[in-house]
Amino acid sequence: MAHSATEQLKAVHGLRWAALLIVMLSGPPLISLTFSTIAPVIPAMARYFAGHGGGTFFAQWIMTTPALGLMIGGTLGGYLIDRIGPRSLIITAFAVFALGGSAGLWIDHPIALLVSRFLLGLGGACVATGATWLIGERFDEITRRKMIGIQDSLAGVAAMSAVLLSGVLAAAGGWRMPFAIYLVAAPLVVLALIAVPSIATGGADRAATPTRTVVSSLWPIYALVLAMAGLMMMPATQVPFLLEHNGIVSPVLKSRIIACSAALSIVSAALYARVRQKLGERGTLSAILMAFALGTITLSQSSGVWSAAAGCMLLGTGTGLFSPHFAAVLIARTPHAARGRAIGLMYSAVFLSEFLSPLVILPLREAFGAKGCFLILGLALLTGFVISVLQRRGTPPPSIVERSEI
């Protein structure tokens, strides 16, 4: 099955190959649109739905409901790709993303809008799972790392672009207009119909690798993802409180400081393949831990704009390396018949960690203050870095000679 899938994907040429490449790179960028697209219009939505009672509370639910869809969609996408194949999954997921996301253009009922936001997250996670699966099957390990890094770099570009475009559209047509951005998935349905081949992923190999076997063999990776992925949300969810504590109250300054994290995540994700080639698997994990540790410690000691921006840059560096690293490691370690489920579980773990992170951070912030919270997290990450370095010593380098192919 694995060889057949690889051969079918390598048989795609010309314009079909260009379309397939766009599909493969689309997953994380679409996920990044889930939250960033409507962030600027949340206050306007709160005012609009105030007549239904609790407008502000409802607007916040509109923002966070996709997270539930993303958590479920990762596991569901992994399950489905091993049963119906990537073509049916990706085409359906693009359609669900476009319809669920753009529903805000015409839906007025609050519950219906919440349901549409859930479907948006569900579709986005399924697209990301399917797109990453295609990369895993199509490319050798070296090129795979480059492609996954490009995926996440494009996600950062898409998120920043969506925020800017959303503000322009809202100014021109009101709070509903930014929901039109989600229609970007509509032409991707056509590209998937043209480019993604029908690949049989079922059979005895899948039955011989039950999900519990996948989880039991990869649980240390999932544990690390679950423990660390929430750190990627720190600039958006926790840094604003720290800046307020430091007396930085200007929305413009806050946005620029937080944007430093996004900018560096774009750069580091694009450079992931080079970093991994230079440092190896364990060395790259150590670099991620060090970037997160230095970022949180720097923020804990910050008092002005430049020191806070430096801390965000370090966090962004770790964020850009994090997702492509764990995706590449999982694909390399997982049998072909179980890759869909392994990738899907990873995305579920990422979004579960981001969903749960406030439950961990809030008690720390209340007990130790904004700066103390960052310092404790930084010291814990620094400890993890030291452990990873000690474990790396004495570990022989891989004996496999890897080859890159396009």
Side-chain angles (χ1 to χ4, degrees):
M1 183 276 296
H3 296 295
S4 174
T6 302
E7 290 168 1
Q8 284 181 266
L9 290 168
K10 287 186 176 181
V12 178
H13 297 291
L15 291 177
R16 282 191 69 208
W17 166 240
L20 181 61
L21 189 61
I22 293 171
V23 170
M24 288 191 291
L25 294 175
S26 66
L30 286 187
I31 286 180
S32 73
L33 299 181
T34 304
F35 301 105
S36 60
T37 297
I38 66 166
V41 297
I42 288 297
M45 292 177 64
R47 290 190 294 270
Y48 181 85
F49 287 103
H52 295 275
T56 300
F57 180 75
F58 174 74
Q60 290 174 345
W61 269 105
I62 288 292
M63 187 70 171
T64 57
T65 297
L68 182 59
L70 288 166
M71 285 186 284
I72 296 173
T75 302
L76 178 64
Y79 176 87
L80 290 175
I81 202 169
D82 287 337
R83 282 155 179 79
I84 65 175
R87 178 179 170 84
S88 297
L89 174 68
I90 290 175
I91 291 171
T92 304
F94 277 142
V96 170
F97 186 93
L99 292 173
S102 63
L105 288 169
W106 58 80
I107 285 181
D108 257 333
H109 195 281
I111 301 302
L113 192 54
L114 286 175
V115 171
S116 74
R117 296 288 291 170
F118 170 81
L119 292 174
L120 171 71
L122 196 73
C126 288
V127 168
T129 300
T132 305
W133 185 93
L134 289 173
I135 289 175
E137 294 298 321
R138 170 60 178 81
F139 298 105
D140 67 273
E141 190 163 355
I142 295 291
T143 312
R144 185 189 304 152
R145 295 171 192 164
K146 295 177 183 177
M147 296 297 293
I148 293 174
I150 293 171
Q151 267 191 331
D152 285 88
S153 184
L154 290 174
V157 174
M160 294 182 69
S161 301
V163 170
L164 296 174
L165 181 58
S166 175
V168 173
L169 291 175
W175 66 265
R176 290 188 182 275
M177 284 303 296
F179 284 87
I181 294 174
Y182 294 117
L183 290 172
V184 69
L188 293 175
V189 174
V190 179
L191 293 182
L193 282 167
I194 294 171
V196 180
S198 296
I199 300 172
T201 55
D205 289 342
R206 185 190 69 210
T209 315
T211 301
R212 63 178 178 274
T213 302
V214 177
V215 175
S216 64
S217 62
L218 299 173
W219 74 263
I221 298 176
Y222 291 123
L224 279 172
V225 171
L226 190 61
M228 295 174 60
L231 294 166
M232 297 189 290
M233 295 291 287
M234 293 283 285
T237 60
Q238 303 304 322
V239 168
F241 294 101
L242 180 69
L243 297 178
E244 289 275 352
H245 178 82
N246 290 342
I248 300 173
V249 296
S250 167
V252 174
L253 279 179
K254 285 183 183 179
S255 64
R256 289 176 179 174
I257 292 170
I258 294 170
C260 290
S261 174
L264 265 292
S265 71
I266 294 170
V267 175
S268 60
L271 294 175
Y272 166 71
R274 294 184 182 181
V275 173
R276 171 66 190 272
Q277 187 72 8
K278 182 73 174 178
L279 300 181
E281 181 180 316
R282 289 181 179 270
T284 304
L285 175 60
S286 298
I288 294 169
L289 286 165
M290 176 56 82
F292 280 141
L294 291 178
T296 49
I297 292 173
T298 300
L299 284 165
S300 75
Q301 304 303 307
S302 66
S303 57
V305 172
W306 291 107
S307 54
C312 283
M313 288 179 184
L314 288 164
L315 284 181
T317 301
T319 295
L321 295 174
F322 182 91
S323 292
H325 180 64
F326 282 102
V329 169
L330 274 172
I331 293 173
R333 293 191 183 185
T334 307
H336 288 274
R339 277 183 178 171
R341 284 166 286 165
I343 295 167
L345 286 169
M346 182 200 73
Y347 280 113
S348 290
V350 167
F351 296 115
L352 178 59
S353 177
E354 293 180 350
F355 185 78
L356 294 177
S357 63
L359 301 180
V360 177
I361 300 299
L362 184 58
L364 289 176
R365 197 173 72 215
E366 290 181 346
F368 302 101
K371 288 193 172 184
C373 170
F374 276 88
L375 181 59
I376 289 172
L377 287 173
L379 294 175
L381 289 161
L382 191 60
T383 302
F385 166 75
V386 172
I387 293 172
S388 71
V389 170
L390 292 176
Q391 287 181 337
R392 189 185 177 199
R393 288 183 177 180
T395 303
S399 58
I400 298 174
V401 178
E402 295 172 328
R403 176 175 58 88
S404 176
E405 65 179 36
I406 301 299

